[in-house]
Amino acid sequence: MTRKLLFHSGRIYTQDDRVPYCQAVIIAGGKIEWMGQNSDLYAIPSDEYQIVDLEGKTVLPGFWDSHLHFVFWAWSLAMLDIEKCKSYSEVLELIKKQAKKLKKNDWLVGHGWQSDNWRDPVEPHASDLDKIVPRNPVVMFSRDEHSAWVNSLTLKKLDIDRDTPDPQGGEIVRDRSGDPTGVLLEKAAFEVYSQIPIPRLGQSLKAVSSAQKNAHSLGITSVCSFDGADGFGVLQEYHRKHGLKIRVHHYVRSEHLDSLLDLHIKDRYGDRFLKICGVKFFADGALGSKTALMFAPYSDSRTNRGIAQMEYEQLETEIRRAIRGGLSVAVHAIGDKANYNALKAIASAMGRRKHGYRHRVEHCQLLRKRDIELFARHNVIASVQPCHLVSDLDLVVKYWGRRARYSYPYSSLLKSGAVLAFGSDGPIDRIDPLWNIYCAVTRKRPADGCKLYPIERLNVAEAIRATTIDSAYAVGREDELGSISVGKYADIVILEEDPYQIEPEKIPFVKVIATLAEGEFVYGDENFEIW
């Protein structure tokens, strides 16, 4: 029998406009049964409940991460992390050290390089990997995961040589003589994933368990995940064997659209912890790889306008097919032209349809001022990652110049009537909702105080809404999740301090005391006495 819990003496910010604040809640059957003030408790028969004194701590709805790669994050915990390396030589030394631990033909997989961050910002080359790892296939994914640096053995496995044409929506980088350098962009980089053996099922299930615990320790109770088919298969198996305690809303990649349509699978197919919520399309690449699709060239080039992973006509056609099949879409768009193409394609495909869908643009990193109002006009959610604006601050200035005024334009989007949903894009960036809130509220890099257009800052209340109720809205579950409201699932997070009342600089350091999923402590129950 599910226990009934009575929490009292808390600072409970509900995110429910009807009852924005209370001090006490009762949880029964995994849902919020009652909410009110301490003074109302005299009428409650306390012997029916297990009682928890919150001692003035802050309670919020469970946090959402509305864009990450959950299983890839789990797998990445075992990959070689080269993001913190300060030079090319340091990267090579770390790879060489890791290679000594491998058997012949074992894959060496790492991630996190970004040549702009090195003291010697040279372009990586396969020959340098060949010298230190001659017997093993090597792939080092860039920090944004849109570029891959491989050795010659991996190029051979991919059947790539000087005569191999670039794939549509991708590029094989070549030297002056026409030979591949070992750097692959966009669709060419994505081909590497199909060659890497995925971890055995047992290892994958353990990795998912660790990732779930990590998420709970950060107060995360729901995510939107953009893994591939292998990752979704791992999630299904974990859920079948163990039962997920974190809500995963999966977006299927567009190459599997035909399968979804053939099976007549529509939005929100699944159960309360694992659902398919739509189809993901790519309109362009990424800023770090300089493949984000632009109207005008990058500031360091006369010709480079990025890469369209799907030309507009194809993007619109495929989105129309998804919508006709009853599926919402999520379109990856970073550059200003990609965002415009995504918004235009969604609006055209929707036609006179107005309700029942929750279409999204993922990232929305650079917009033209005139395009900002299109989100609200066409009911498209802006799924954004505030952590990126801090991580990419120098790149934004370097490659987008004066256009950067409307990069990460969160305040402008909200004022236009758009809905924001916050995510991290983990493991590409730091998975931590409180860090995301800090980034949106300050738009400041802590290390040196450098800011990116502070005029686009949000206040704490706006940032928390984007991390809770508005993220629930983005997947059509605002009636079940996202706020502390009677009848909704009791997914909550308890914090040591009140983010509304402290200096924004202190928000990333607020401690998560406990996390509950459907009224069950999934993290931090040892921090409370339950009477």
Side-chain angles (χ1 to χ4, degrees):
M1 183 176 178
T2 305
R3 64 183 177 180
K4 293 185 177 182
L5 291 171
L6 190 161
F7 290 85
H8 68 91
S9 302
R11 302 172 64 88
I12 303 173
Y13 296 93
T14 67
Q15 308 308 305
D16 183 334
D17 293 336
R18 298 166 298 180
V19 187
Y21 178 84
C22 65
Q23 294 174 306
V25 296
I26 291 175
I27 298 170
K31 295 185 177 182
I32 305 295
E33 183 179 75
W34 175 91
M35 50 201 294
Q37 305 304 325
N38 279 355
S39 58
D40 301 323
L41 292 174
Y42 73 91
I44 303 294
S46 59
D47 57 341
E48 292 184 15
Y49 304 98
Q50 292 180 298
I51 299 173
V52 181
D53 185 352
L54 292 167
E55 299 179 337
K57 293 182 174 58
T58 297
V59 179
L60 292 168
F63 292 143
W64 287 64
D65 190 312
S66 280
H67 185 116
L68 53 57
H69 307 265
F70 190 73
V71 177
F72 183 66
W73 173 38
W75 285 336
S76 74
L77 299 175
M79 293 181 185
L80 180 64
D81 186 354
I82 59 175
E83 183 173 352
K84 295 181 180 178
C85 293
K86 301 299 183 184
S87 66
Y88 188 47
S89 58
E90 186 180 340
V91 170
L92 292 172
E93 187 60 34
L94 196 60
I95 293 171
K96 182 179 180 180
K97 183 178 179 180
Q98 183 71 10
K100 292 178 180 178
K101 304 176 184 178
L102 302 177
K103 298 177 182 178
K104 184 178 179 181
N105 295 323
D106 284 351
W107 278 78
L108 200 168
V109 182
H111 67 103
W113 65 269
Q114 186 168 297
S115 58
D116 292 274
N117 289 343
W118 296 334
R119 288 190 295 267
D120 49 347
V122 298
E123 287 301 311
H125 202 283
S127 61
D128 295 317
L129 293 175
D130 295 340
K131 293 173 187 175
I132 58 176
V133 195
R135 304 190 308 160
N136 301 82
V138 180
V139 56
M140 295 289 127
F141 292 105
S142 60
R143 182 181 165 276
D144 59 24
E145 302 287 342
H146 284 255
S147 302
W149 165 32
V150 303
N151 63 353
S152 296
L153 188 55
T154 304
L155 287 173
K156 186 175 180 179
K157 286 181 176 293
L158 294 167
D159 292 325
I160 292 176
D161 57 28
R162 63 179 295 126
D163 298 320
T164 306
D166 290 340
Q168 181 181 359
E171 180 183 346
I172 300 167
V173 178
R174 305 169 196 271
D175 59 24
R176 292 181 180 179
S177 65
D179 290 319
T181 67
V183 175
L184 309 172
L185 305 179
E186 300 303 330
K187 290 269 179 82
F190 297 164
E191 289 297 320
V192 185
Y193 287 107
S194 64
Q195 295 292 322
I196 302 172
I198 67 170
R200 293 175 181 173
L201 181 60
Q203 293 174 303
S204 293
L205 297 182
K206 287 181 181 178
V208 168
S209 180
S210 295
Q212 181 174 249
K213 290 176 182 176
N214 199 332
H216 288 152
S217 74
L218 297 167
I220 299 171
T221 57
S222 296
V223 301
C224 296
S225 185
F226 293 81
D227 286 308
D230 289 334
F232 185 60
V234 170
L235 279 176
Q236 289 184 94
E237 188 64 14
Y238 185 90
H239 193 36
R240 185 181 70 83
K241 285 188 172 183
H242 306 291
L244 283 164
K245 296 294 184 181
I246 189 168
R247 303 184 196 277
V248 181
H249 305 84
H250 180 73
Y251 285 80
V252 179
R253 292 183 180 174
S254 58
E255 56 261 37
H256 303 297
L257 175 58
D258 285 340
S259 297
L260 293 177
L261 296 177
D262 288 343
L263 293 169
H264 300 283
I265 291 176
K266 300 185 179 357
D267 271 8
R268 292 158 235 169
Y269 175 81
D271 64 23
R272 66 189 194 278
F273 276 99
L274 183 60
K275 288 183 180 293
I276 290 174
C277 283
V279 185
K280 182 183 182 183
F281 296 88
F282 281 87
D284 69 344
L287 169 58
S289 298
K290 292 190 286 186
T291 53
L293 188 63
M294 309 294 296
F295 279 106
Y298 285 76
S299 298
D300 67 337
S301 171
R302 294 183 179 180
T303 58
N304 180 25
R305 298 171 188 256
I307 294 176
Q309 289 208 28
M310 297 179 76
E311 296 298 336
Y312 174 78
E313 291 77 12
Q314 181 188 9
L315 181 65
E316 181 189 339
T317 297
E318 292 301 291
I319 288 175
R320 190 183 302 277
R321 291 179 62 221
I323 292 172
R324 284 177 175 171
L327 293 160
S328 294
V329 301
V331 185
H332 167 112
I334 289 182
D336 52 6
K337 186 172 184 179
N339 275 280
Y340 174 73
N341 284 352
L343 291 162
K344 182 181 176 184
I346 291 170
S348 177
M350 279 293 287
R352 295 182 179 180
R353 302 180 185 90
K354 295 299 179 184
H355 303 291
Y357 295 89
R358 297 292 159 85
H359 302 309
R360 308 149 54 115
V361 172
E362 306 297 321
H363 308 306
C364 318
Q365 287 186 10
L366 183 68
L367 301 172
R368 296 184 302 182
K369 182 179 181 181
R370 73 185 78 167
D371 296 333
I372 288 173
E373 59 89 20
L374 297 178
F375 283 87
R377 185 198 299 181
H378 300 307
N379 299 313
V380 177
I381 289 112
S383 172
V384 298
Q385 300 76 43
C387 49
H388 284 349
L389 75 87
V390 172
S391 300
D392 292 343
L393 197 152
D394 292 333
L395 296 179
V396 169
V397 174
K398 181 178 181 180
Y399 294 131
W400 288 344
R402 294 167 67 181
R403 287 171 289 186
R405 165 62 186 86
Y406 291 102
S407 61
Y408 313 91
Y410 302 152
S411 180
S412 294
L413 282 164
L414 275 189
K415 289 175 181 175
S416 75
V419 173
L420 301 183
F422 279 6
S424 66
D425 207 10
I428 294 166
D429 215 319
R430 175 176 169 180
I431 298 174
D432 186 344
L434 290 165
W435 170 248
N436 246 359
I437 291 167
Y438 162 83
C439 293
V441 170
T442 68
R443 297 177 67 92
K444 181 171 69 175
R445 184 165 56 199
D448 57 9
C450 187
K451 297 179 182 180
L452 183 68
Y453 291 99
I455 194 171
E456 292 291 346
R457 288 180 298 193
L458 301 183
N459 61 42
V460 172
E462 291 167 337
I464 288 176
R465 279 194 65 90
T467 314
T468 55
I469 184 62
D470 286 348
S471 281
Y473 174 85
V475 295
R477 300 193 71 184
E478 69 276 13
D479 293 335
E480 302 173 276
L481 302 166
S483 68
I484 297 172
S485 309
V486 172
K488 289 192 178 184
Y489 288 114
D491 294 3
I492 65 175
V493 58
I494 304 172
L495 305 176
E496 181 70 53
E497 296 179 88
D498 184 344
Y500 291 91
Q501 302 296 327
I502 62 177
E503 293 294 321
E505 284 73 18
K506 295 181 180 179
I507 290 175
F509 304 102
V510 171
K511 185 178 180 181
V512 173
I513 300 298
T515 305
L516 287 82
E518 295 194 358
E520 174 189 348
F521 278 94
V522 290
Y523 173 76
D525 59 332
E526 69 277 6
N527 294 319
F528 292 93
E529 291 188 29
I530 302 175
W531 299 92

PDB file of all heavy atoms in Angstrom, residues 8-23:
ATOM      1  N   HIS A   8       5.046  19.663   5.910  1.00  0.00           N
ATOM      2  CA  HIS A   8       4.623  20.960   6.457  1.00  0.00           C
ATOM      3  C   HIS A   8       5.836  21.854   6.720  1.00  0.00           C
ATOM      4  O   HIS A   8       6.989  21.415   6.677  1.00  0.00           O
ATOM      5  CB  HIS A   8       3.822  20.759   7.746  1.00  0.00           C
ATOM      6  CG  HIS A   8       4.638  20.226   8.901  1.00  0.00           C
ATOM      7  ND1 HIS A   8       5.268  21.049   9.803  1.00  0.00           N
ATOM      8  CD2 HIS A   8       4.907  18.952   9.299  1.00  0.00           C
ATOM      9  CE1 HIS A   8       5.897  20.314  10.708  1.00  0.00           C
ATOM     10  NE2 HIS A   8       5.698  19.038  10.432  1.00  0.00           N
ATOM     11  N   SER A   9       5.554  23.113   6.955  1.00  0.00           N
ATOM     12  CA  SER A   9       6.570  24.125   7.306  1.00  0.00           C
ATOM     13  C   SER A   9       7.611  24.309   6.210  1.00  0.00           C
ATOM     14  O   SER A   9       8.803  24.463   6.482  1.00  0.00           O
ATOM     15  CB  SER A   9       7.254  23.755   8.629  1.00  0.00           C
ATOM     16  OG  SER A   9       6.296  23.644   9.668  1.00  0.00           O
ATOM     17  N   GLY A  10       7.152  24.332   4.961  1.00  0.00           N
ATOM     18  CA  GLY A  10       8.051  24.565   3.842  1.00  0.00           C
ATOM     19  C   GLY A  10       7.760  25.871   3.123  1.00  0.00           C
ATOM     20  O   GLY A  10       6.724  26.508   3.355  1.00  0.00           O
ATOM     21  N   ARG A  11       8.684  26.254   2.283  1.00  0.00           N
ATOM     22  CA  ARG A  11       8.466  27.381   1.353  1.00  0.00           C
ATOM     23  C   ARG A  11       8.186  26.737   0.000  1.00  0.00           C
ATOM     24  O   ARG A  11       9.115  26.440  -0.761  1.00  0.00           O
ATOM     25  CB  ARG A  11       9.690  28.279   1.297  1.00  0.00           C
ATOM     26  CG  ARG A  11      10.085  28.862   2.650  1.00  0.00           C
ATOM     27  CD  ARG A  11      11.432  29.581   2.569  1.00  0.00           C
ATOM     28  NE  ARG A  11      11.375  30.742   1.692  1.00  0.00           N
ATOM     29  CZ  ARG A  11      11.022  31.963   2.093  1.00  0.00           C
ATOM     30  NH1 ARG A  11      10.681  32.173   3.361  1.00  0.00           N
ATOM     31  NH2 ARG A  11      11.004  32.975   1.260  1.00  0.00           N
ATOM     32  N   ILE A  12       6.924  26.506  -0.298  1.00  0.00           N
ATOM     33  CA  ILE A  12       6.530  25.707  -1.458  1.00  0.00           C
ATOM     34  C   ILE A  12       6.049  26.632  -2.576  1.00  0.00           C
ATOM     35  O   ILE A  12       4.982  27.247  -2.476  1.00  0.00           O
ATOM     36  CB  ILE A  12       5.437  24.693  -1.074  1.00  0.00           C
ATOM     37  CG1 ILE A  12       5.926  23.805   0.071  1.00  0.00           C
ATOM     38  CG2 ILE A  12       5.042  23.847  -2.287  1.00  0.00           C
ATOM     39  CD1 ILE A  12       4.861  22.878   0.645  1.00  0.00           C
ATOM     40  N   TYR A  13       6.861  26.729  -3.618  1.00  0.00           N
ATOM     41  CA  TYR A  13       6.508  27.517  -4.797  1.00  0.00           C
ATOM     42  C   TYR A  13       5.907  26.557  -5.818  1.00  0.00           C
ATOM     43  O   TYR A  13       6.609  25.764  -6.436  1.00  0.00           O
ATOM     44  CB  TYR A  13       7.741  28.213  -5.369  1.00  0.00           C
ATOM     45  CG  TYR A  13       8.364  29.228  -4.430  1.00  0.00           C
ATOM     46  CD1 TYR A  13       9.401  28.868  -3.576  1.00  0.00           C
ATOM     47  CD2 TYR A  13       7.917  30.538  -4.411  1.00  0.00           C
ATOM     48  CE1 TYR A  13       9.983  29.799  -2.722  1.00  0.00           C
ATOM     49  CE2 TYR A  13       8.487  31.483  -3.560  1.00  0.00           C
ATOM     50  CZ  TYR A  13       9.527  31.102  -2.716  1.00  0.00           C
ATOM     51  OH  TYR A  13      10.097  32.035  -1.876  1.00  0.00           O
ATOM     52  N   THR A  14       4.605  26.656  -6.030  1.00  0.00           N
ATOM     53  CA  THR A  14       3.885  25.600  -6.742  1.00  0.00           C
ATOM     54  C   THR A  14       4.003  25.680  -8.263  1.00  0.00           C
ATOM     55  O   THR A  14       3.807  24.681  -8.947  1.00  0.00           O
ATOM     56  CB  THR A  14       2.397  25.654  -6.386  1.00  0.00           C
ATOM     57  OG1 THR A  14       1.832  26.856  -6.918  1.00  0.00           O
ATOM     58  CG2 THR A  14       2.201  25.588  -4.878  1.00  0.00           C
ATOM     59  N   GLN A  15       4.252  26.857  -8.820  1.00  0.00           N
ATOM     60  CA  GLN A  15       4.171  27.112 -10.270  1.00  0.00           C
ATOM     61  C   GLN A  15       2.742  26.954 -10.783  1.00  0.00           C
ATOM     62  O   GLN A  15       2.513  26.807 -11.988  1.00  0.00           O
ATOM     63  CB  GLN A  15       5.135  26.216 -11.051  1.00  0.00           C
ATOM     64  CG  GLN A  15       6.567  26.254 -10.568  1.00  0.00           C
ATOM     65  CD  GLN A  15       7.125  27.664 -10.452  1.00  0.00           C
ATOM     66  OE1 GLN A  15       7.093  28.422 -11.417  1.00  0.00           O
ATOM     67  NE2 GLN A  15       7.654  28.019  -9.276  1.00  0.00           N
ATOM     68  N   ASP A  16       1.771  26.991  -9.856  1.00  0.00           N
ATOM     69  CA  ASP A  16       0.343  26.961 -10.200  1.00  0.00           C
ATOM     70  C   ASP A  16      -0.193  28.355  -9.914  1.00  0.00           C
ATOM     71  O   ASP A  16      -0.236  28.798  -8.761  1.00  0.00           O
ATOM     72  CB  ASP A  16      -0.371  25.916  -9.338  1.00  0.00           C
ATOM     73  CG  ASP A  16      -1.850  25.763  -9.688  1.00  0.00           C
ATOM     74  OD1 ASP A  16      -2.454  26.729 -10.207  1.00  0.00           O
ATOM     75  OD2 ASP A  16      -2.407  24.681  -9.418  1.00  0.00           O
ATOM     76  N   ASP A  17      -0.593  29.068 -10.947  1.00  0.00           N
ATOM     77  CA  ASP A  17      -1.013  30.460 -10.790  1.00  0.00           C
ATOM     78  C   ASP A  17      -2.217  30.614  -9.863  1.00  0.00           C
ATOM     79  O   ASP A  17      -2.427  31.684  -9.286  1.00  0.00           O
ATOM     80  CB  ASP A  17      -1.345  31.068 -12.162  1.00  0.00           C
ATOM     81  CG  ASP A  17      -0.108  31.200 -13.044  1.00  0.00           C
ATOM     82  OD1 ASP A  17       1.006  31.259 -12.490  1.00  0.00           O
ATOM     83  OD2 ASP A  17      -0.265  31.226 -14.281  1.00  0.00           O
ATOM     84  N   ARG A  18      -2.994  29.557  -9.703  1.00  0.00           N
ATOM     85  CA  ARG A  18      -4.170  29.638  -8.834  1.00  0.00           C
ATOM     86  C   ARG A  18      -3.778  29.642  -7.360  1.00  0.00           C
ATOM     87  O   ARG A  18      -4.418  30.306  -6.538  1.00  0.00           O
ATOM     88  CB  ARG A  18      -5.118  28.469  -9.117  1.00  0.00           C
ATOM     89  CG  ARG A  18      -5.684  28.446 -10.535  1.00  0.00           C
ATOM     90  CD  ARG A  18      -6.328  27.116 -10.835  1.00  0.00           C
ATOM     91  NE  ARG A  18      -5.352  26.015 -10.760  1.00  0.00           N
ATOM     92  CZ  ARG A  18      -5.645  24.750 -10.973  1.00  0.00           C
ATOM     93  NH1 ARG A  18      -6.898  24.403 -11.282  1.00  0.00           N
ATOM     94  NH2 ARG A  18      -4.711  23.823 -10.882  1.00  0.00           N
ATOM     95  N   VAL A  19      -2.725  28.887  -7.016  1.00  0.00           N
ATOM     96  CA  VAL A  19      -2.214  28.835  -5.638  1.00  0.00           C
ATOM     97  C   VAL A  19      -0.689  28.873  -5.741  1.00  0.00           C
ATOM     98  O   VAL A  19      -0.025  27.843  -5.669  1.00  0.00           O
ATOM     99  CB  VAL A  19      -2.671  27.554  -4.906  1.00  0.00           C
ATOM    100  CG1 VAL A  19      -2.265  27.612  -3.432  1.00  0.00           C
ATOM    101  CG2 VAL A  19      -4.159  27.333  -5.052  1.00  0.00           C
ATOM    102  N   PRO A  20      -0.108  30.051  -5.916  1.00  0.00           N
ATOM    103  CA  PRO A  20       1.328  30.118  -6.213  1.00  0.00           C
ATOM    104  C   PRO A  20       2.248  29.733  -5.068  1.00  0.00           C
ATOM    105  O   PRO A  20       3.410  29.396  -5.300  1.00  0.00           O
ATOM    106  CB  PRO A  20       1.530  31.577  -6.608  1.00  0.00           C
ATOM    107  CG  PRO A  20       0.381  32.309  -6.012  1.00  0.00           C
ATOM    108  CD  PRO A  20      -0.761  31.361  -5.998  1.00  0.00           C
ATOM    109  N   TYR A  21       1.730  29.765  -3.831  1.00  0.00           N
ATOM    110  CA  TYR A  21       2.603  29.515  -2.686  1.00  0.00           C
ATOM    111  C   TYR A  21       1.819  28.836  -1.578  1.00  0.00           C
ATOM    112  O   TYR A  21       0.653  29.156  -1.330  1.00  0.00           O
ATOM    113  CB  TYR A  21       3.178  30.837  -2.169  1.00  0.00           C
ATOM    114  CG  TYR A  21       4.059  30.707  -0.953  1.00  0.00           C
ATOM    115  CD1 TYR A  21       5.405  30.393  -1.081  1.00  0.00           C
ATOM    116  CD2 TYR A  21       3.545  30.894   0.328  1.00  0.00           C
ATOM    117  CE1 TYR A  21       6.223  30.273   0.037  1.00  0.00           C
ATOM    118  CE2 TYR A  21       4.357  30.778   1.453  1.00  0.00           C
ATOM    119  CZ  TYR A  21       5.688  30.462   1.298  1.00  0.00           C
ATOM    120  OH  TYR A  21       6.498  30.342   2.399  1.00  0.00           O
ATOM    121  N   CYS A  22       2.444  27.869  -0.915  1.00  0.00           N
ATOM    122  CA  CYS A  22       1.831  27.252   0.258  1.00  0.00           C
ATOM    123  C   CYS A  22       2.928  26.744   1.184  1.00  0.00           C
ATOM    124  O   CYS A  22       4.114  26.843   0.872  1.00  0.00           O
ATOM    125  CB  CYS A  22       0.867  26.137  -0.137  1.00  0.00           C
ATOM    126  SG  CYS A  22       1.638  24.711  -0.932  1.00  0.00           S
ATOM    127  N   GLN A  23       2.527  26.220   2.331  1.00  0.00           N
ATOM    128  CA  GLN A  23       3.488  25.721   3.310  1.00  0.00           C
ATOM    129  C   GLN A  23       3.401  24.211   3.521  1.00  0.00           C
ATOM    130  O   GLN A  23       4.338  23.615   4.061  1.00  0.00           O
ATOM    131  CB  GLN A  23       3.244  26.408   4.664  1.00  0.00           C
ATOM    132  CG  GLN A  23       3.539  27.902   4.662  1.00  0.00           C
ATOM    133  CD  GLN A  23       3.140  28.539   5.979  1.00  0.00           C
ATOM    134  OE1 GLN A  23       1.994  28.406   6.415  1.00  0.00           O
ATOM    135  NE2 GLN A  23       4.080  29.207   6.617  1.00  0.00           N
TER     136      GLN A  23
END
